[in-house]
Amino acid sequence: MIKIDENLTVTSPAGFKASGIHCGLKKSLLKKDLALIYSDVVATSCGVYTKNKVKGAPLTVTKQHLINKKAQAIIINSGNANTCNGDDGLSKANKMTRLCAKALNIKNDDVLVASTGVIGVPLNIDAIKDGIPQLVGNLSEDIEGAKNASMAIMTTDTIQKQAGITFEISGKKVTLAAMAKGSGMIHPNMATMLSFITTDISISPTLLKEALKESVNVSYNRISVDGDSSTNDMVLIMANGLASNETITEKNNDYNLFLEALTSLNIYMSKKIAKDGEGATKLIECTVKNANSIDDAETLSKSVVTSSLVKAAIFGSDANWGRILCALGYSNVDFDPEKVDVSFASTAGEILVCQNGASVNFDEAKAKEILLQDEIKILIDMKLASSEATTWGCDLTYDYVRINGDYRS
Amino acid sequence: MIKIDENLTVTSPAGFKASGIHCGLKKSLLKKDLALIYSDVVATSCGVYTKNKVKGAPLTVTKQHLINKKAQAIIINSGNANTCNGDDGLSKANKMTRLCAKALNIKNDDVLVASTGVIGVPLNIDAIKDGIPQLVGNLSEDIEGAKNASMAIMTTDTIQKQAGITFEISGKKVTLAAMAKGSGMIHPNMATMLSFITTDISISPTLLKEALKESVNVSYNRISVDGDSSTNDMVLIMANGLASNETITEKNNDYNLFLEALTSLNIYMSKKIAKDGEGATKLIECTVKNANSIDDAETLSKSVVTSSLVKAAIFGSDANWGRILCALGYSNVDFDPEKVDVSFASTAGEILVCQNGASVNFDEAKAKEILLQDEIKILIDMKLASSEATTWGCDLTYDYVRINGDYRS
């Protein structure tokens, strides 16, 4: 019933508009760098943030503005993270929301702010100030507005990331959509990862927050590009209630349906982000089953998708399962190495390469064919209990090194 | 007084011989793959091992043989880790020591064994069996024997790693020397890192173990190449007492001198290993000072040298200090980001790039010149208390990806 629609955008839910422009933070005039999402009415809203001790100034301002659990607009810039800029950074993040609120004629604390880009370089607030009239003027509920917004939040991303889901609750059509950016520094606890979710559902602030947290834990918090966790991550959601469903205030069927849709959407976006990791050529999906607990399964799985040696082997389409056992081994989870089975799978088939912690005779040519595809599944059976978790990552490539060897210039 | 001598080898201490041959584990006839270190008399001996849950069969055998705290020989092969091979692996590791003991006419449990190479491929024990007569026959106390042994333990290492120290205790000359291999998978808790230390000092087994542990904690356990911890690491030491010093049985000046020498040697070898990380072009030395505790300082420092983004920036000679703050931030250590200072240093000078957690105007050309050298120091002042720790790593390069994309073939 719940099905991802790649043609939906953040302006698909009722009452949302968006825009994206080039204001001058990025050097190329062709690259958009300032985005706006706007709801016709004040929406119930909440966020989930990075756990990095070093936090960008925009996070501080957004958290303050969400104390009342309401928001009507989100302004986002790329090209500069506005982090490690001291009081100047905080002052400019505050100025971004004030200028935006004024231009939209809404309350300052109903505007949220996010930034992504280089750390420790003063933000060019004048460029943003000069861009805001055009940014607000361009607001549109058409697909074009959403497309421009999603392009304006990209940094080293190579593809736009947008999708949505439509479903019915009690006869009312509800729409949920997201736009996100990812690429380098993506790690559990959400590094330099931004995702903005809009929905016209009517739901209590408490349950919206709970659903967001629960879905983020099994999606954005289960992806890793390079193990680095960023200073500026956030996932924000605005629910403006214009679907006119009976407001969800308890964990009934309506809530469960919403949670399922939100989780599906967030997992879909997470996989998009992992696959578009800096320099990545392949998505790695690692499922650990029959572990002692979900926490154990998640830790084991993350250890595999974060291992540089595993990632480099997948890049080289090399069925080097020893590195997978090695990564399980240093995860600090207790298990019996002599019980572990490992298989690789993709659209080209599935192959068992390790049984009970030891080598099996497998067809190297078949393994190579499986690993040459662009979405690789690593299936690990711990044979201990019945808990399972899936995490996502990408391969480690020459381009990762190229991109990150001189990002600032 | 304590000074590293790069011309000393594991056969420099009195009564030690070594050899290294090609027995057929590596494809190229030019590459040695079997090494032996032998002491004329039974030596006091102990080891420190990987904490990886998946352990190579050689570790199991070596630990058993060290229950009596004595050893007379160490046999080491490269080209195959003899790990994840089930009962067959254990049986072959046992066979290696038995064959070696027989050829040397010494007790089986006085022979230790170590292996390094690919995981999960059955060990070719016949090649080793056929090689042992030549291996034993070639034993020599000359520099050539030590050189052959140190070459025979290399995998993707590009340089041999040997050094030693001579010092006097109570009028007796004592010599201490080591040979090591490193390269990929080097991480705190010693991944695919082997180091063998010989000395002619006379010391009690208890104090030898204590000195080894203490020195390993500030050396081999403070290096990281790619964050992966291996299944086969070990550091073994043999002290044969032939220096004829009064046996060290308490923590007196003699002990302190030995500990200082052992620590200096282990740090020297650790830096050699880090600098020769797979594909590495630069050694990174990160010192965190004025932290709340040594543990905190070590965790913060390791987080920086393990960060793929920092490593890629150093490869590109890019003074991207924001990534350093970011890595400190996700280390789970509590600190005040607005107090942190960061400097880069090398033989070309020193430059402050971040003060109190924010950007300072620095000379980019000067920073570039400093970062273009091959040994880069990252100096971080937390301004909290007075604890300090230094860790070592290397840059992340195209060659790391190339080497690890298809290691098995």
Side-chain angles (χ1 to χ4, degrees), chain B residues 116-153:
Chain B
T116 177
V118 67
I119 300 176
V121 172
L123 182 67
N124 180 356
I125 189 73
D126 291 335
I128 292 173
K129 184 181 175 183
D130 295 346
I132 282 179
Q134 189 198 349
L135 185 71
V136 170
N138 284 5
L139 274 174
S140 158
E141 61 186 35
D142 294 345
I143 201 162
E144 209 53 30
K147 187 182 160 192
N148 289 336
S150 85
M151 283 171 62
I153 65 170

Coordinates of all heavy atoms in Angstrom, one line a residue, chain B residues 116-153:
Chain B
T116 N 50.9 -13.5 8.6 CA 50.2 -12.3 8.1 C 50.0 -12.5 6.6 O 50.8 -13.1 5.9 CB 51.1 -11.1 8.3 OG1 50.4 -9.9 7.8 CG2 52.5 -11.2 7.7
G117 N 48.8 -12.0 6.2 CA 48.5 -12.1 4.7 C 47.0 -12.2 4.6 O 46.2 -11.7 5.4
V118 N 46.5 -12.9 3.6 CA 45.1 -13.0 3.3 C 44.4 -13.9 4.3 O 45.0 -14.8 4.8 CB 44.9 -13.4 1.8 CG1 45.3 -14.9 1.6 CG2 43.4 -13.2 1.4
I119 N 43.2 -13.5 4.6 CA 42.4 -14.3 5.6 C 41.5 -15.3 4.8 O 41.0 -15.1 3.7 CB 41.4 -13.3 6.3 CG1 42.2 -12.3 7.1 CG2 40.5 -14.1 7.3 CD1 41.4 -11.3 7.8
G120 N 41.3 -16.5 5.4 CA 40.3 -17.4 4.9 C 40.8 -18.3 3.7 O 39.9 -18.9 3.1
V121 N 42.1 -18.4 3.5 CA 42.6 -19.2 2.4 C 43.5 -20.3 3.1 O 44.3 -19.9 3.9 CB 43.4 -18.4 1.4 CG1 44.1 -19.4 0.4 CG2 42.5 -17.4 0.7
P122 N 43.2 -21.6 2.9 CA 44.0 -22.6 3.6 C 45.5 -22.4 3.4 O 46.0 -22.1 2.3 CB 43.6 -23.9 2.9 CG 42.2 -23.6 2.4 CD 42.2 -22.2 2.0
L123 N 46.2 -22.6 4.5 CA 47.7 -22.4 4.4 C 48.4 -23.5 3.7 O 48.1 -24.7 4.0 CB 48.2 -22.3 5.9 CG 49.7 -22.0 6.1 CD1 50.1 -20.6 5.6 CD2 50.0 -22.2 7.6
N124 N 49.3 -23.2 2.9 CA 50.1 -24.3 2.2 C 51.2 -24.8 3.1 O 52.4 -24.3 3.0 CB 50.7 -23.7 0.9 CG 51.5 -24.7 0.1 OD1 51.7 -25.9 0.5 ND2 51.9 -24.3 -1.1
I125 N 50.9 -25.7 4.0 CA 51.8 -26.2 5.0 C 53.0 -27.0 4.4 O 54.1 -27.0 4.9 CB 51.1 -27.0 6.1 CG1 52.0 -27.3 7.3 CG2 50.5 -28.3 5.5 CD1 52.3 -26.1 8.2
D126 N 52.7 -27.6 3.2 CA 53.8 -28.3 2.6 C 54.9 -27.4 2.1 O 56.1 -27.8 2.3 CB 53.2 -29.1 1.3 CG 52.3 -30.2 1.8 OD1 52.4 -30.7 2.9 OD2 51.4 -30.6 1.0
A127 N 54.6 -26.2 1.7 CA 55.6 -25.3 1.3 C 56.5 -24.9 2.5 O 57.7 -24.8 2.4 CB 55.0 -24.0 0.6
I128 N 55.8 -24.7 3.6 CA 56.5 -24.4 4.8 C 57.4 -25.5 5.3 O 58.6 -25.4 5.6 CB 55.5 -23.9 5.9 CG1 54.9 -22.6 5.5 CG2 56.2 -23.8 7.3 CD1 53.8 -22.1 6.4
K129 N 56.8 -26.7 5.2 CA 57.6 -27.9 5.6 C 58.8 -28.1 4.8 O 59.9 -28.3 5.3 CB 56.7 -29.2 5.5 CG 57.3 -30.4 5.9 CD 56.4 -31.6 5.7 CE 57.1 -32.9 6.1 NZ 56.2 -34.1 5.8
D130 N 58.6 -27.9 3.5 CA 59.8 -28.1 2.6 C 60.8 -27.0 2.8 O 62.0 -27.2 2.5 CB 59.3 -28.1 1.1 CG 58.5 -29.3 0.8 OD1 58.5 -30.3 1.6 OD2 57.8 -29.3 -0.2
G131 N 60.4 -25.8 3.3 CA 61.3 -24.7 3.4 C 62.1 -24.7 4.7 O 63.1 -24.1 4.8
I132 N 61.6 -25.4 5.7 CA 62.2 -25.3 7.0 C 63.6 -25.7 7.1 O 64.5 -25.0 7.7 CB 61.3 -26.0 8.1 CG1 60.1 -25.1 8.5 CG2 62.1 -26.3 9.4 CD1 59.1 -25.6 9.5
P133 N 64.0 -26.8 6.4 CA 65.5 -27.1 6.5 C 66.4 -25.9 6.0 O 67.4 -25.6 6.7 CB 65.6 -28.3 5.5 CG 64.2 -28.9 5.6 CD 63.3 -27.8 5.7
Q134 N 66.0 -25.3 4.9 CA 66.8 -24.2 4.4 C 66.7 -23.0 5.4 O 67.7 -22.3 5.6 CB 66.2 -23.8 3.0 CG 67.1 -22.7 2.3 CD 66.4 -22.0 1.2 OE1 65.3 -22.4 0.7 NE2 67.1 -21.0 0.7
L135 N 65.5 -22.8 5.9 CA 65.3 -21.7 6.9 C 66.2 -21.8 8.1 O 66.9 -20.9 8.5 CB 63.8 -21.7 7.3 CG 63.4 -20.5 8.2 CD1 63.3 -19.2 7.4 CD2 62.0 -20.8 8.9
V136 N 66.3 -23.0 8.6 CA 67.2 -23.3 9.8 C 68.6 -23.2 9.3 O 69.5 -22.7 10.0 CB 66.8 -24.6 10.4 CG1 67.8 -25.0 11.5 CG2 65.4 -24.6 11.0
G137 N 68.9 -23.8 8.2 CA 70.3 -23.8 7.7 C 70.9 -22.4 7.5 O 72.1 -22.2 7.6
N138 N 70.0 -21.5 7.1 CA 70.4 -20.1 6.8 C 70.6 -19.3 8.0 O 71.0 -18.1 7.9 CB 69.5 -19.5 5.9 CG 69.6 -19.9 4.4 OD1 70.4 -20.9 4.2 ND2 68.8 -19.3 3.5
L139 N 70.2 -19.8 9.2 CA 70.3 -18.9 10.4 C 71.7 -18.3 10.5 O 72.7 -19.0 10.4 CB 70.0 -19.8 11.7 CG 68.5 -20.0 12.1 CD1 68.4 -20.9 13.2 CD2 67.9 -18.6 12.4
S140 N 71.7 -17.0 10.8 CA 73.0 -16.3 10.9 C 72.8 -15.1 11.9 O 71.8 -14.5 12.0 CB 73.3 -15.8 9.5 OG 74.2 -14.7 9.6
E141 N 74.0 -14.8 12.5 CA 73.9 -13.7 13.4 C 74.4 -12.4 12.7 O 74.4 -11.3 13.2 CB 74.8 -13.9 14.7 CG 76.3 -14.2 14.3 CD 77.1 -14.6 15.5 OE1 76.5 -15.3 16.4 OE2 78.2 -14.2 15.6
D142 N 74.7 -12.6 11.4 CA 75.1 -11.4 10.6 C 73.9 -10.6 10.3 O 72.8 -11.0 10.3 CB 75.8 -11.9 9.3 CG 77.1 -12.6 9.6 OD1 77.6 -12.4 10.7 OD2 77.6 -13.3 8.7
I143 N 74.2 -9.4 9.8 CA 73.1 -8.4 9.4 C 72.3 -9.0 8.3 O 71.1 -8.7 8.2 CB 73.7 -7.0 9.1 CG1 72.6 -6.0 9.2 CG2 74.4 -7.1 7.7 CD1 73.3 -4.6 9.3
E144 N 72.9 -9.9 7.5 CA 72.2 -10.4 6.4 C 71.0 -11.3 6.8 O 69.9 -11.3 6.2 CB 73.2 -11.3 5.5 CG 72.8 -11.3 4.0 CD 72.6 -10.0 3.4 OE1 73.3 -9.0 3.8 OE2 71.8 -9.9 2.4
G145 N 71.2 -12.1 7.9 CA 70.2 -12.9 8.4 C 69.0 -12.1 8.9 O 67.8 -12.4 8.5
A146 N 69.3 -11.1 9.6 CA 68.2 -10.2 10.1 C 67.5 -9.5 8.9 O 66.2 -9.4 8.9 CB 68.8 -9.2 11.0
K147 N 68.2 -9.1 7.9 CA 67.6 -8.4 6.8 C 66.7 -9.3 6.0 O 65.6 -9.0 5.7 CB 68.8 -7.9 5.9 CG 68.3 -7.1 4.7 CD 69.5 -6.7 3.8 CE 68.9 -6.2 2.4 NZ 70.0 -6.1 1.5
N148 N 67.1 -10.6 5.8 CA 66.3 -11.5 5.1 C 65.0 -11.8 5.9 O 63.9 -11.9 5.4 CB 67.0 -12.8 4.9 CG 68.1 -12.7 3.8 OD1 68.0 -11.8 3.0 ND2 69.1 -13.5 3.9
A149 N 65.1 -11.9 7.3 CA 64.0 -12.2 8.1 C 63.0 -11.0 8.0 O 61.8 -11.2 7.9 CB 64.4 -12.4 9.6
S150 N 63.5 -9.8 8.1 CA 62.6 -8.6 8.1 C 61.9 -8.5 6.7 O 60.8 -8.0 6.6 CB 63.4 -7.4 8.5 OG 64.0 -6.8 7.4
M151 N 62.6 -8.9 5.7 CA 62.0 -8.9 4.3 C 60.9 -9.9 4.2 O 59.9 -9.7 3.5 CB 63.0 -9.1 3.2 CG 63.8 -7.8 3.0 SD 65.2 -8.1 1.8 CE 64.3 -8.6 0.4
A152 N 61.1 -11.1 4.9 CA 60.2 -12.2 4.8 C 58.8 -11.9 5.5 O 57.9 -12.7 5.3 CB 60.8 -13.5 5.3
I153 N 58.8 -10.9 6.4 CA 57.5 -10.7 7.0 C 56.7 -9.5 6.4 O 55.6 -9.2 6.8 CB 57.7 -10.4 8.6 CG1 58.5 -9.1 8.8 CG2 58.4 -11.5 9.3 CD1 58.5 -8.6 10.3

